[in-house]
Each structure stands twice: as C-alpha cells, then as structure tokens.
Amino acid sequence: MRRVLALLVLLTVVFTGCQATPKQPVVINKNTEQLIDAAIRNEEKLTLAQMLHAPDRLVLSAVDGSGSVSVNADAAVVVPDAEGASTMRIRKRSFTQTEADSVLDFFVGERDFNTRYEAGYDEMTEQLLQFKANLAQETDPDKRAQLEQSIAKFESAGITVPDEPEAVLPASRMFEPREEGGGEYISGFFSDGEGKCFLSVVNDIDENENTVLYTREQKGYAAFEGTYWYAQQFDSVDKIGLDPETVSATPLSLSAEEAKATAADALIALGISDMTLAMCEEVWGGTSLKDGLEAMQGHHAYMLKYVRVVGGIPVTYTEASPDGDYVENENTPNERVIAGWPYEEVHFIIDDTGIAEFVWQSPYEIVETVTTHSAVKSFDEISGVFSKMLLIKHAWPGQNTTLTFNISRAQLGLMRIMEKDKPDTALLIPVWDFFGDVVYDYTDNEGQWQTDTALNAYTSWLTINAIDGSIIDRGLGY
C-alpha cells in the first residue's frame, strides 16, 4: 500500500511539475478571450452529437519513445444527454443569511445552539494549564526547563489563565465578523441527545474560504472534516491513528440506496438545487476529537459527493484540488496566477447513526452566459491529443521505472478554469477527462522487479479543453 501511495505522490509531482515540452504547450493560453472567441464559433448551433461524432468506446494503445510510459485505452465514452455545452462566466460568492438559516433549521432546529458544550477554557489556555500541571509534578531538571520555556512562550504571547472559565452562552445564528482574520462566521455547538454536534458557516472571499461544516460524533466533538479511504485504500486508516481491524469491525447495516435517499432528502430540505450525485463509496476513516475520552472517532460509512449541473451537463468530479498559494509560471517569471480557489463541492458522510458529516464549499453564481452551444473539437481530434499528450504529461517517471495507464473512462463534463487578472471570476467550460488505473513497474533497492497498481476511479490522468484541444492542469486551475 505504501508503494501505491508513493506512486500517487510521484504522479502528482510529474503531473504538476512538467509545464511545457519542446513540441507544444501543456498549459492553456491564459488569454481566455481567445478561448471565448473559439467557443462562440458555432453560429449554426450544431449539437454536441453533430460536432463530436463520439463512439461508444475509445480503444487505442500507444507508447513513448523511451518505452517508459505507455497507455492502453478500452474506455467507455461518456457524453451527457444534452443538446449543447455551455461556456459561462461565474463568480465566487458568500453564503447568504437565508442559506445559513436553512442549514441551521435543518441541523439544529429548536435545540440550544451554544458557544461551547460546557464551561471551560479555550484550547490554548487548556494547553497552558496542562504545562503548569505537568511542571508541578515534574522532578527532572531538563524537563522542568522545557516546561518553563513553553510556559514563558505562551505567556509572552499574551495567553493567560482567566479567573473564571469561559461560560456557555447562546451562539449567534446571524453572521458576525471573525475576531481574527477577515470575513464573517456563524459557529456553535449542540447535542441531539445521541451525539455532540458542531456547525459552522464561514464566509471569507479574500481567503477563498466559504464553507459550511457540520459534524456529529458520539465520543466527543469534531470541528474539522474527517479523513476517509475507499476499499482499495483501507489499510491507510492507521495513518490517522485508527486500528484497521477495529474500524473494519464497525458495522454498516445501511445500504448505499438508503444513504443516497438520506442525502437527497437533505439537499431538498437545505434548498440546494441543480446538483447531481457524482460519487457514492463505502469508506472507512474518522476525525480527531475534542472533549472526549478517545483521540479519534472511527467510522464505517458511505461518502457521497455532489456536483453542479449546468445546462444538463455536470461539472466533472475529480479528486484534484487547486493549489492553495500563488503559483509562479516558469515561462513568465513576473506573472503570478491565483490558484487557491477550491472547486465547489457538497459531500456527506452517512453511517448507521445518520449524517455524521456535511460539507458545502465554494458556491458560485453565474454572471454571464457566453454561449449555450460551445464549439467543441470532434472526438477524433480529442483522442489524437489524448494519445500523444498523456505520454508527454507523465514522461520521465524515473530510472528503472515504467508507467502503464489503463484508461477505462473518457468523460465529457464541465470544469472551472481561472481567468487572467480576474481572481474572483472564472470560466465554466466543457472538458474531457480520462480515468483509469496505473501500473507502476520498478526496480527495488535489492534490484528486484516489482509491480504496484494505483486504483482510484476519481483521478483524472489527463484533462483536455474540449473547445481548443489544449491541456488543462487541474492543480493550477487553468
């Protein structure tokens, strides 16, 4: 399993690190006006079917000149049942108070919604108290010196122990400015009689942090999203401090269909429309707990992820995340491109206790419909780009190493791409994504030939702009 995880890291580095080749650019031209001009060149409003001439399956094989990277495709070609593919300009937005009210009504209802579960101290004060308690019992001079140094650092930072612990007060159900940083928030704690619940709604456009988070735990409370793995990644649960055997013994009597019904009902009650189910997977994992006897809460559950549908075409779900910082393009050293805007997502973790986690992040609004019938390349042209550029994109895997991509799905959908000098808006365009597994053959430290396979149905190994055939880097967002 560790070799497979290492492979995924390797492929991520290769995927994002090789930004150009001698033959053609890997990243699309940042002049999105040229892209818009290409998108609207469908004056006759030909349908997708008329422009694509897509087969039911893509079957091809190719290998690069070094023989180190090859691709075998026997892939279902997935084209949404839509007359045309829209190109739209969208803008990031904050959650409205009306949306926050719907979230509060659904998850909290008439229950008490408070600033804490019980009277106490904040996390930093509790740490300071722990340092002082340890110091009172410690006899080793070196350890006492370390504790005294830690206490001094906390107190020099203005962290002190108040005369009285912080009281439990009603939390505001209206947005309030955040005390630290910018933006606004609603945040509070409550209990439904069986679990401890945490709910927050955060708006911070400048930091690209617009997120609803709800968690429900039985052994404490969680104020962060959990970490979960699918069946083929199950052994990795030990990476967050959970015992695989214990987690695997956690029952899950709920069916996938029941989980889907629960999530669908929740979306209706929350007023979240124009979304479609992109993934429903049985998962294992959990999250760090506070205010509990155990450090971690293990879950055996279903993870369901929803994406937006525009004009009958879903935004394609992949597990790629845009970089969180400014990224300098190697070809233009003085130009910086903001790429930290997370892709919109709605997800649920649902187990036998109900909804254990709900996240809605990065909503946006449509500000301009460029065209509802984007001009797109034929599938024959796209497959030609795919057979060449997949090999180039993942070239140079390392000495004594070969990569074999077995592509099983080619999917047309929508994707949000960044606009030059416009950090708050983006274009929603049609793209092709290619999914499958990767066989990684390599020589180990003892000179023995080894084989590992990376299985992940939601990793797109190549994303092609359906309008102009250029390659898009999902990590950069353009």
Side-chain angles (χ1 to χ4, degrees):
M1 188 67 219
R2 288 184 175 88
R3 290 196 188 105
V4 173
L5 292 174
L7 164 64
L8 291 174
V9 172
L10 168 68
L11 291 176
T12 299
V13 171
V14 172
F15 192 64
T16 59
C18 304
Q19 297 302 314
T21 70
K23 294 184 178 180
Q24 67 182 94
V26 171
V27 178
I28 65 171
N29 191 315
K30 299 184 195 68
N31 187 344
T32 48
E33 294 306 317
Q34 293 181 3
L35 180 61
I36 290 174
D37 288 342
I40 61 178
R41 290 174 187 169
N42 183 16
E43 294 84 358
E44 298 179 4
K45 292 193 181 300
L46 298 176
T47 66
L48 278 178
Q50 290 171 325
M51 289 183 286
L52 290 175
H53 302 289
D56 292 332
R57 301 195 70 80
L58 168 64
V59 179
L60 61 82
S61 294
V63 62
D64 72 349
S66 69
S68 61
V69 183
S70 61
V71 56
N72 298 311
D74 186 359
V77 178
V78 181
V79 179
D81 185 16
E83 182 176 293
S86 296
T87 293
M88 296 184 170
R89 179 168 281 112
I90 60 175
R91 177 170 55 211
K92 63 179 75 171
R93 70 171 181 85
S94 298
F95 291 103
T96 66
Q97 183 64 52
T98 298
E99 288 170 330
D101 291 341
S102 295
V103 170
L104 287 160
D105 289 345
F106 181 75
F107 288 112
V108 184
E110 299 300 320
R111 302 181 185 93
D112 291 336
F113 186 56
N114 298 320
T115 56
R116 304 179 62 90
Y117 281 119
E118 56 189 24
Y121 301 97
D122 63 38
E123 188 174 355
M124 300 303 289
T125 303
E126 288 178 351
Q127 182 63 72
L128 178 59
L129 285 168
Q130 187 63 55
F131 285 149
K132 291 187 173 184
N134 293 344
L135 180 63
Q137 299 179 6
E138 186 58 64
T139 58
D140 183 280
D142 291 336
K143 292 182 179 179
R144 285 184 62 84
Q146 292 176 359
L147 287 167
E148 288 171 346
Q149 186 178 25
S150 297
I151 292 170
K153 286 182 178 179
F154 270 55
E155 291 179 340
S156 65
I159 300 169
T160 59
V161 179
D163 295 334
E164 297 290 337
E166 187 176 340
V168 176
L169 300 173
S172 174
R173 294 182 180 232
M174 304 292 290
F175 282 111
E176 296 183 328
R178 288 206 284 193
E179 294 180 1
E180 297 183 3
E184 58 183 7
Y185 78 108
I186 296 170
S187 181
F189 306 84
F190 63 101
S191 174
D192 64 1
E194 297 181 4
K196 291 185 174 182
C197 307
F198 170 76
L199 176 65
S200 69
V201 186
V202 176
N203 282 328
D204 193 339
I205 288 286
D206 292 339
E207 295 298 322
N208 288 325
E209 184 183 3
N210 296 87
T211 305
V212 174
L213 170 65
Y214 162 80
T215 66
R216 179 177 180 273
E217 303 287 352
Q218 287 72 49
K219 300 178 181 180
Y221 76 87
F224 300 95
E225 295 180 43
T227 303
Y228 295 91
W229 285 271
Y230 314 136
Q232 65 267 26
Q233 306 163 323
F234 174 72
D235 290 343
S236 296
V237 297
D238 63 354
K239 295 184 180 299
I240 57 171
L242 292 172
D243 176 33
E245 291 186 9
T246 301
V247 177
S248 65
T250 305
L252 181 63
S253 60
L254 186 76
S255 70
E257 293 306 314
E258 289 171 326
K260 292 176 185 178
T262 297
D265 290 342
L267 288 176
I268 292 172
L270 291 165
I272 303 175
S273 59
D274 301 320
M275 307 292 282
T276 188
L277 181 66
M279 181 257 272
C280 178
E281 292 279 354
E282 187 175 359
V283 295
W284 293 261
T287 188
S288 299
L289 295 183
K290 297 183 179 180
D291 190 30
L293 299 177
E294 297 185 20
M296 300 292 297
Q297 168 79 58
H299 288 286
H300 181 191
Y302 289 101
M303 175 182 283
L304 300 94
K305 300 209 175 196
Y306 290 80
V307 295
R308 188 159 300 283
V309 178
V310 179
I313 298 183
V315 174
T316 303
Y317 171 72
T318 78
E319 293 194 334
S321 299
D323 294 333
D325 297 315
Y326 289 83
V327 178
E328 188 170 23
N329 187 289
E330 63 183 7
N331 296 319
T332 54
N334 296 321
E335 178 183 359
R336 288 187 176 271
V337 180
I338 297 176
W341 179 5
Y343 296 122
E344 185 181 29
E345 178 183 301
V346 171
H347 88 235
F348 294 86
I349 299 294
I350 301 177
D351 61 13
D352 286 345
T353 70
I355 300 174
E357 179 178 296
F358 168 80
V359 174
W360 181 12
Q361 71 175 20
S362 296
Y364 55 76
E365 59 186 346
I366 296 172
V367 295
E368 178 188 1
T369 299
V370 175
T371 177
T372 58
H373 289 72
S374 303
V376 297
K377 297 282 188 181
S378 70
F379 187 78
D380 186 56
E381 293 174 287
I382 295 297
S383 63
V385 173
F386 163 75
S387 64
K388 295 176 182 178
M389 291 306 298
L390 183 72
L391 303 178
I392 294 173
K393 191 74 172 182
H394 298 283
W396 315 291
Q399 291 184 342
N400 302 319
T401 302
T402 65
L403 300 177
T404 302
F405 291 84
N406 298 309
I407 302 300
S408 57
R409 174 165 50 107
Q411 182 170 336
L412 178 68
L414 299 178
M415 178 187 172
R416 191 199 74 212
I417 64 168
M418 303 295 292
E419 290 194 275
K420 182 180 179 181
D421 300 327
K422 295 180 180 179
D424 294 329
T425 64
L427 289 180
L428 199 62
I429 67 168
V431 300
W432 283 97
D433 282 286
F434 296 84
F435 301 88
D437 61 58
V438 183
V439 178
Y440 176 44
D441 293 303
Y442 62 98
T443 302
D444 63 18
N445 293 334
E446 298 177 355
Q448 299 297 312
W449 196 249
Q450 303 288 345
T451 298
D452 280 322
T453 302
L455 300 170
N456 192 328
Y458 307 104
T459 295
S460 174
W461 300 112
L462 192 69
T463 301
I464 301 176
N465 187 328
I467 296 171
D468 63 12
S470 58
I471 305 304
I472 297 174
D473 190 320
R474 284 184 170 272
L476 297 177
Y478 59 86

